[in-house]
Amino acid sequence: MNNNLVVSTSPHIHRHESTATIMWAVVIALIPSGIGSVWIFGLSALWVILTGVLSAVVFEVLIQRLRGQEVSVLDGSAVLTGLLLTYNLPPVVPLWIPVVGSFFAIAIVKHAFGGLGRNIFNPALAGRAFLLAAWPTYMTTFHAPYDALTTATPLALLKEGKILNLAEMNLTYGDLFFGGRAGCIGEVCIGLLILGAIFLWVRGVFSLHAPFAFIATLALFSWAFGGTALFSGDWIFAILSGGLILGAFFMATDYVTTPLTLKGQAIFGIGCGLITFVIRKWGGYPEGVSYSILMMNAFTPLIDRYVRPKRY
Amino acid sequence: MTKIDEKKELTEKVSVKNAPLPDTVYISLVQHLGKPNDLLDVGVGDIVKTGQLLAHADALVTSPIHSSVNGKVLKITDWPHPVLGKTKTIVIERDKEAVEEEFVLRSKEEVDGLSIDQLRNIIKDCGIVGMGGATFPSHVKLAPPKPIDSLIINGAECEPYLTSDNRLMVENPKEILEGVCIIAKILNTANVYIAVEDNKPEAIKEFKNQVLDFKLKVLKTQYPQGAEKQLIYSVLKRKVPSGKLPFEVGVVVHNVATAFAIFEAVYKNKPLYERIVTVTGDIFENPGNFKVRIGTPIKDLISIAGPLKKEIKKIIMGGPMMGIAQGTDEVPIIKGSSGVLVLADDEVAEAEEGACIRCGECIKNCPMGLSPALISAAASKGKWDLAKDYGLLDCVECGLCAYSCPVNKNIVQWVKYAKTKIKR
Ligand code: SF4
Ligand code: SF4
């Protein structure tokens, strides 16, 4: 007997967590905000989301086939990339936009760098950046909630300088929190995003170092230097008005493209907060969350090199 | 910290039973860290008695071996060893008629009259080694090169599934404490801690019922607290520098089972020829703790704990985190074997190793503060110096990194491999 004994190195037991369980957990955490968005912006948001996710899956399968790799689409990572990409799009865009975005994200940013785990940049955000550069008009035409009228996002209004505060926009913090404003599909329902983030945090999927550092840094700088006088900035508006919550909790926590250590993640978050503030205040775009994360993605290898865990 | 499913409930309440005496024992010449016992005191065909010296070596760091049964030396041959592949092994066939002799007991007064050198010699001659698994000869550890100020008795037993130390503490607290007295006397320290994790309430209660000259330290359960460096930190908040031994920060650690073996050696003149072994796994109808003769093949133990509910897929000597998977059930129990864990097919999920997704779990969980993901990445590319830079040599192979890795990186395997490469 016993000639089929398995002989392998310790440990002989494992935690019941895999790439798939983690990715699907993140997908599930993002779903409520998507539903909220469809409620707010109408069915066109749903078509954008579905097109983006489906095309991401298709591209993943095709490329893995072409490269002769095992097709790992069931691990949920392509679904997640597609979802995050569409969450960064306006609710009304031609449906080829999410298709092109998914192609760029999956084929170029993810697989040209070697596949899951090796890409330097967050595929969804890089896909969005590409779309924004190539088709700026589509990418910056937003719709008012519960309305077919196009309108500008609160941050864009602020940038134009015509309107200086929330009251002039006819908005309240409550509106911002519950998604009653123009913006990208996945970013507006702050309350539901936070719900999803809590779910992931409790489940141990990510730690809060990067998101908190990101949010705190941006809030601090917006308060100190964002107003007309020193220390008079509306920091709550800064937190709730753009893509910060989506970016901080769901993209600045991406495993592959952010630092390995908790300390490194905090540095990453601080860097994101600073860059976002600089772009919002002085940059050409009203919002800087995605660019800040992409820029910090580029610094991740450097951070990992110098920030080591504390040795025993 | 990742929580590990401990599975101690399978055996923690099962009292120690004597395993039936084996028909044949296989006693390896290598039962300890140090020089193997190359000088044979018996030959093929000799009749031997339980406790009789079989082999020794002419060195300081070594520990003699003794027969664990009355019987006849059948052969001396290469035989599977739980850790070292194959080693020279004395095979003894038990004489089923022979009656085991009692050992001559020493009274408390006699023991009190023994000098420190005499005590150390008894411990050496009885072949006592570290019973927690390290198997370092105890008499050497009882002669630290410089004076120490604290002694820690390790009753943490942090490895999942294993409960042999727990049962020993529950059933023989007095004897353990006598052993601790002897150790404390030899080391000349009054600063003694008995460290037990809080998942062993029964053992803690037993110790509290005794008149203690020592400090009982109840630790929060946390794998791998039983590792010496972790334990020293938990108890004394002292850090042992990389590459150094505990005595350099004034501490010596001994296991509870070693203290018990020292008690038996000193009070009963009894060489180390048996130990308590946890035989466990969901696969068994009757898992438990057994007093087992050294050299008993594990297939005997598997049949004692049976019947089996499923087919065997993996046999592990030791626990699930640090134990060693065996290629055959012929391997014998050695002095450092605290458990035999048997897993069925559905418990052996041999998932393929995936690409690292940089989740950071391994880093978060590493008790030594290393970067396991980067060590294994460096090792898999053959970059040994880089692996060293990430902390390779400080790795205690506790397995927490690989345990928590979602892509099943065989980090410990890479670590072991890289270590052998560097040594060469
Ligand atoms: S096995 Fe080594 S690298 Fe992995 S967690 Fe334990 S000490 Fe750290
Ligand atoms: S736990 Fe595994 S996947 Fe996560 S960083 Fe470590 S090696 Fe990579």
Side-chain angles (χ1 to χ4, degrees):
Chain A
M1 71 171 277
N2 285 334
N3 38 16
N4 53 357
L5 286 179
V6 174
V7 182
S8 57
T9 321
S10 59
H12 306 286
I13 50 175
H14 290 93
R15 191 169 67 116
H16 301 289
E17 195 79 275
S18 65
T19 307
T21 60
I22 295 168
M23 296 294 170
W24 286 114
V26 181
V27 170
I28 289 169
L30 282 167
I31 286 177
S33 150
I35 295 175
S37 213
V38 174
W39 173 259
I40 294 165
F41 296 118
L43 277 179
S44 88
L46 181 65
W47 303 134
V48 174
I49 294 173
L50 290 181
T51 313
V53 171
L54 197 71
S55 52
V57 167
V58 170
F59 290 131
E60 173 103 338
V61 173
L62 282 179
I63 288 162
Q64 289 187 324
R65 279 271 166 79
L66 279 176
R67 297 180 69 201
Q69 290 176 341
E70 210 178 313
V71 173
S72 62
V73 72
L74 289 181
D75 72 9
S77 76
V79 172
L80 181 58
T81 300
L83 201 60
L84 282 173
L85 173 81
T86 58
Y87 275 26
N88 282 288
L89 301 179
V92 182
V93 286
L95 288 184
W96 55 264
I97 286 269
V99 176
V100 173
S102 284
F103 176 78
F104 190 81
I106 298 281
I108 307 216
V109 185
K110 182 175 174 184
H111 282 285
F113 279 95
L116 183 66
R118 301 211 176 79
N119 49 297
I120 294 174
F121 295 102
N122 185 311
L125 285 179
R128 172 187 184 265
F130 171 74
L131 293 173
L132 186 59
W135 294 281
T137 321
Y138 288 131
M139 292 295 289
T140 51
T141 306
F142 291 92
H143 282 71
Y146 314 108
D147 202 333
L149 293 177
T150 60
T151 179
T153 65
L155 280 172
L157 292 172
L158 200 67
K159 184 109 228 168
E160 288 164 16
K162 291 184 210 137
I163 292 174
L164 291 175
N165 60 44
L166 209 54
E168 288 176 38
M169 294 174 200
N170 269 327
L171 290 174
T172 62
Y173 291 135
D175 289 333
L176 296 184
F177 192 78
F178 292 107
R181 51 108 168 163
C184 291
I185 294 177
E187 74 180 24
V188 295
C189 289
I190 306 277
L192 295 175
L193 285 172
I194 290 176
L195 213 64
I198 292 174
F199 162 71
L200 292 180
W201 178 69
V202 168
R203 217 168 158 279
V205 171
F206 54 56
S207 52
L208 295 173
H209 291 63
F212 276 17
F214 193 168
I215 294 169
T217 307
L218 183 63
L220 188 72
F221 277 81
S222 303
W223 169 66
F225 309 111
T228 38
L230 213 53
F231 306 122
S232 70
D234 187 346
W235 57 274
I236 303 180
F237 176 80
I239 292 176
L240 298 179
S241 57
L244 178 66
I245 299 298
L246 177 66
F249 286 106
F250 293 92
M251 288 176 289
T253 55
D254 174 46
Y255 289 155
V256 179
T257 57
T258 66
L260 281 165
T261 58
L262 297 176
K263 223 197 293 168
Q265 290 163 14
I267 294 171
F268 184 94
I270 293 171
C272 287
L274 274 174
I275 298 171
T276 303
F277 175 74
V278 168
I279 295 177
R280 281 189 185 178
K281 178 111 178 135
W282 295 293
Y285 290 109
E287 173 59 309
V289 166
S290 341
Y291 281 115
S292 76
I293 296 172
L294 284 169
M295 280 189 217
M296 289 310 290
N297 285 164
F299 280 108
T300 293
L302 200 71
I303 296 175
D304 272 342
R305 207 186 156 104
Y306 290 105
V307 182
R308 300 274 180 89
K310 201 166 141 266
R311 286 283 181 91
Y312 161 83
Chain B
M1 270 276 173
T2 303
K3 188 105 188 67
I4 301 178
D5 191 6
E6 291 207 289
K7 294 272 192 181
K8 289 194 191 266
E9 68 281 359
L10 288 174
T11 53
E12 69 191 345
K13 297 224 153 46
V14 189
S15 320
V16 176
K17 287 189 274 291
N18 286 324
L21 292 181
D23 293 341
T24 316
V25 290
Y26 302 83
I27 301 178
S28 167
L29 299 188
V30 196
Q31 303 266 351
H32 59 275
L33 274 182
K35 192 160 192 261
N37 290 302
D38 49 3
L39 304 173
L40 292 176
D41 295 285
V42 294
V44 175
D46 285 6
I47 303 295
V48 294
K49 283 199 208 118
T50 305
Q52 181 178 335
L53 182 67
L54 294 179
H56 66 284
D58 202 6
L60 175 66
V61 185
T62 187
S63 184
I65 51 169
H66 304 80
S67 179
S68 57
V69 289
N70 287 322
K72 186 165 137 194
V73 178
L74 267 190
K75 55 184 174 182
I76 299 172
T77 179
D78 280 344
W79 192 260
H81 183 281
V83 186
L84 301 169
K86 280 189 174 183
T87 60
K88 188 148 277 182
T89 299
I90 301 177
V91 183
I92 302 168
E93 187 181 35
R94 185 168 67 92
D95 176 355
K96 298 191 177 88
E97 321 289 76
V99 186
E100 295 197 324
E101 285 170 29
E102 296 282 328
F103 294 100
V104 193
L105 301 186
R106 280 198 189 90
S107 68
K108 179 96 178 138
E109 288 71 42
E110 268 179 277
V111 171
D112 286 345
L114 292 170
S115 75
I116 286 176
D117 277 335
Q118 282 170 320
L119 286 170
R120 252 195 230 117
N121 280 334
I122 293 171
I123 290 166
K124 173 173 197 230
D125 293 341
C126 285
I128 311 297
V129 301
M131 306 279 281
T135 65
F136 191 75
S138 296
H139 62 275
V140 185
K141 222 174 168 185
L142 286 171
K146 62 185 197 195
I148 53 113
D149 58 62
S150 308
L151 164 67
I152 301 175
I153 300 300
N154 185 354
E157 196 171 55
C158 61
E159 180 81 35
Y161 283 91
L162 302 189
T163 59
S164 59
D165 286 351
N166 177 47
R167 287 317 303 176
L168 192 64
M169 290 188 279
V170 172
E171 296 174 32
N172 300 90
K174 278 206 184 71
E175 290 80 1
I176 292 174
L177 293 176
E178 289 295 345
V180 177
C181 285
I182 297 166
I183 299 173
K185 177 175 166 186
I186 298 175
L187 290 171
N188 191 22
T189 175
N191 199 25
V192 182
Y193 299 86
I194 299 183
V196 188
E197 288 193 336
D198 60 6
N199 60 354
K200 301 176 192 59
E202 257 193 288
I204 292 165
K205 204 178 87 205
E206 286 301 330
F207 278 133
K208 284 196 173 145
N209 287 341
Q210 305 293 322
V211 197
L212 275 186
D213 300 328
F214 317 121
K215 296 170 204 94
L216 182 64
K217 192 96 181 171
V218 179
L219 303 170
K220 221 176 128 257
T221 300
Q222 192 174 69
Y223 183 83
Q225 198 150 229
E228 279 196 347
K229 289 189 176 185
Q230 262 67 37
L231 192 69
I232 292 167
Y233 186 73
S234 295
V235 174
L236 292 168
K237 295 282 169 279
R238 288 187 205 168
K239 288 195 175 187
V240 183
S242 167
K244 302 274 191 222
L245 290 170
F247 74 81
E248 301 189 59
V249 294
V251 191
V252 164
V253 181
H254 280 278
N255 186 275
V256 283
T258 314
F260 182 76
I262 286 175
F263 161 81
E264 291 206 305
V266 172
Y267 278 86
K268 298 188 188 166
N269 253 317
K270 182 178 157 190
L272 179 49
Y273 62 77
E274 61 183 0
R275 66 158 300 143
I276 302 175
V277 179
T278 306
V279 185
T280 186
D282 283 315
I283 200 168
F284 291 119
E285 291 285 357
N286 299 298
N289 292 290
F290 302 96
K291 190 163 257 183
V292 177
R293 296 292 162 99
I294 304 298
T296 305
I298 51 183
K299 65 177 178 201
D300 288 17
L301 300 180
I302 291 173
S303 65
I304 296 170
L308 297 168
K309 297 178 199 164
K310 290 173 183 169
E311 204 190 327
I312 295 177
K313 196 73 190 178
K314 203 177 210 180
I315 300 177
I316 297 152
M317 190 70 106
M321 295 301 285
M322 295 187 71
I324 299 177
Q326 303 295 323
T328 158
D329 58 4
E330 304 278 351
V331 288
I333 292 295
I334 60 170
K335 290 178 181 177
S337 314
S338 45
V340 174
L341 169 63
V342 181
L343 300 177
D345 206 11
D346 53 345
E347 296 169 291
V348 184
E350 288 302 314
E352 225 175 288
E353 189 176 42
C356 171
I357 56 167
R358 298 173 42 85
C359 68
E361 277 300 317
C362 53
I363 294 178
K364 240 185 280 170
N365 285 304
C366 177
M368 301 303 290
L370 314 179
S371 306
L374 303 176
I375 293 176
S376 61
S380 61
K381 288 189 203 121
K383 296 182 178 163
W384 315 124
D385 283 340
L386 191 61
K388 225 154 113 181
D389 190 37
Y390 287 125
L392 173 71
L393 297 181
D394 283 336
C395 170
V396 296
E397 298 175 19
C398 70
L400 261 186
C401 50
Y403 174 83
S404 41
C405 176
V407 303
N408 295 302
K409 270 261 169 273
N410 290 324
I411 300 172
V412 179
Q413 192 173 325
W414 286 115
V415 162
K416 289 188 176 178
Y417 180 63
K419 279 184 182 168
T420 62
K421 285 286 173 189
I422 284 180
K423 267 182 206 134
R424 244 185 264 147

